[in-house]
Amino acid sequence: MTGSNARPRLGTAWRQLRDLLAGAGIDSASLDARLLARHAFGFDALELAMRENEPAPEKAVSRLQALGQRRLAGEPVARILGEKEFYGLSFELSPETLVPRPETELVVDLAHNALKDRKSSRLIDLGTGTGCIAIALLKKLPGSEAIVTDISAGALETAQRNAERHGVASRMQFRQGDWFAPIMDDEVVDVIVSNPPYVAHGAIATLDVEVRDNDPHLALDGGSDGLDPYRVLARDSAHHLVPDGVIVLEHGAGQSSALMSLFRRHGFVNPVRHDDLAGHDRVLFARWPG
């Protein structure tokens, strides 16, 4: 007979957390609970499924409960785990970096399409954060090299660790500074990519708690209208693009029309809006004249 003080089984432990998260209105409760359980128990997905009838170690249950409390308080699972998958690769996070999002993979797709027929190419990734955009591109383009910049030393250190993790650090240069400040006047590349801050300053307080209270505001705040970084990029990118080079930028929903007009005024041709899977305008693609 099982006593009242018997340890819960592994499957029971993670399902109890799932129910708590669901009761708190977290849509991804089941996935979140399984990911946190794998972390707490030290299992992969198959082990969690195969061993769920085993008694759960007391320390592991305590770890899972502590992780669950962080999730209930609004901390994203990726922050709790310290890493996030992007483009099929796992990226370390740090307090200075945004959590990579699926929408940003569209930047990689468009930049890769622009570079895939070139035997060698160079790119600049401005405000690189985790380095996810540049690293994903270098993995897909063995003949390419990248300069990545960030104003945050901590973000650059994170990006370098991620680059080493994925075997592309030897093809990357890591430079600290604001936008093009670390780029020499005579340096030109085939593609410039970036996911700049694009939230209007006054709107940050209205963001979901997972973003507002956990992502670095430096990587969110785009000024009074959310477009300040794009004004810099539109003004200065042309100096660092080869003829027929392209710029690929993520932006916020509803910003595409203003950005297309801005880049046209600065001499770019045929700026194109690209929507994400939810149907929101998400990425600007513009070409410098050949």
Side-chain angles (χ1 to χ4, degrees):
M1 181 180 293
T2 302
S4 59
N5 294 323
R7 287 180 291 162
R9 299 191 183 279
L10 291 166
T12 301
W14 81 257
R15 286 183 177 84
Q16 287 175 340
L17 175 58
R18 175 201 63 192
D19 294 344
L20 280 173
L21 298 180
I26 296 174
D27 292 337
S28 54
S30 182
L31 175 61
D32 291 1
R34 281 184 277 119
L35 289 171
L36 294 176
R38 287 169 52 185
H39 189 68
F41 300 153
F43 292 167
D44 60 23
L46 180 60
E47 284 180 300
L48 185 63
M50 296 293 291
R51 299 175 62 177
E52 66 171 29
N53 288 321
E54 295 180 14
E58 186 175 345
K59 288 184 178 179
V61 173
S62 296
R63 284 196 299 270
L64 180 59
Q65 290 172 341
L67 298 177
Q69 288 304 309
R70 291 170 64 181
R71 184 69 188 99
L72 286 166
E75 189 173 354
V77 168
R79 290 281 179 203
I80 297 171
L81 302 182
E83 62 180 34
K84 175 69 173 179
E85 184 175 298
F86 176 86
Y87 224 92
L89 305 169
S90 183
F91 287 87
E92 174 190 335
L93 306 178
S94 65
E96 300 87 359
T97 64
L98 291 175
V99 176
R101 299 184 308 161
E103 296 92 330
T104 307
E105 293 185 356
L106 181 57
V107 176
V108 177
D109 289 337
L110 293 169
H112 174 254
N113 190 57
L115 295 173
K116 65 183 179 182
D117 294 328
R118 308 184 190 197
K119 287 186 177 180
S120 63
S121 57
R122 298 187 76 208
L123 64 99
I124 293 173
D125 179 10
L126 299 167
T128 193
T130 61
C132 63
I133 295 174
I135 291 168
L137 281 167
L138 295 190
K139 292 290 286 185
K140 290 172 68 68
L141 299 163
S144 62
E145 298 179 348
I147 301 169
V148 301
T149 76
D150 205 289
I151 198 170
S152 164
L156 279 177
E157 291 168 3
T158 304
Q160 185 159 5
R161 288 193 296 272
N162 283 323
E164 291 167 352
R165 179 180 193 174
H166 294 298
V168 298
S170 64
R171 293 189 280 135
M172 295 178 71
Q173 297 179 38
F174 304 85
R175 303 184 189 176
Q176 185 178 1
D178 195 25
W179 302 123
F180 288 103
I183 308 298
M184 291 182 285
D185 291 343
D186 61 348
E187 286 186 298
V188 293
V189 297
D190 303 277
V191 172
I192 294 171
V193 294
S194 185
N195 177 15
Y198 53 71
V199 181
H201 180 77
I204 290 177
T206 69
L207 295 174
D208 186 90
V209 64
E210 293 189 16
V211 175
R212 184 188 69 228
D213 293 349
N214 292 280
D215 280 340
H217 284 201
L218 187 65
L220 298 173
D221 193 337
S224 61
D225 62 356
L227 301 181
D228 282 357
Y230 300 92
R231 295 184 177 97
V232 175
L233 299 179
R235 183 191 68 209
D236 295 343
S237 290
H239 303 302
H240 300 287
L241 282 172
V242 300
D244 209 34
V246 300
I247 187 165
V248 187
L249 305 174
E250 182 170 342
H251 58 77
Q255 294 178 333
S256 60
S257 294
L259 291 178
M260 287 192 289
S261 297
L262 173 64
F263 277 80
R264 284 194 194 99
R265 289 198 301 272
H266 283 275
F268 285 83
V269 294
N270 301 323
V272 179
R273 157 188 169 160
H274 291 269
D275 293 353
D276 60 24
L277 292 176
H280 302 302
D281 53 324
R282 183 61 59 190
V283 175
L284 173 78
F285 181 98
R287 191 175 297 277
W288 188 246

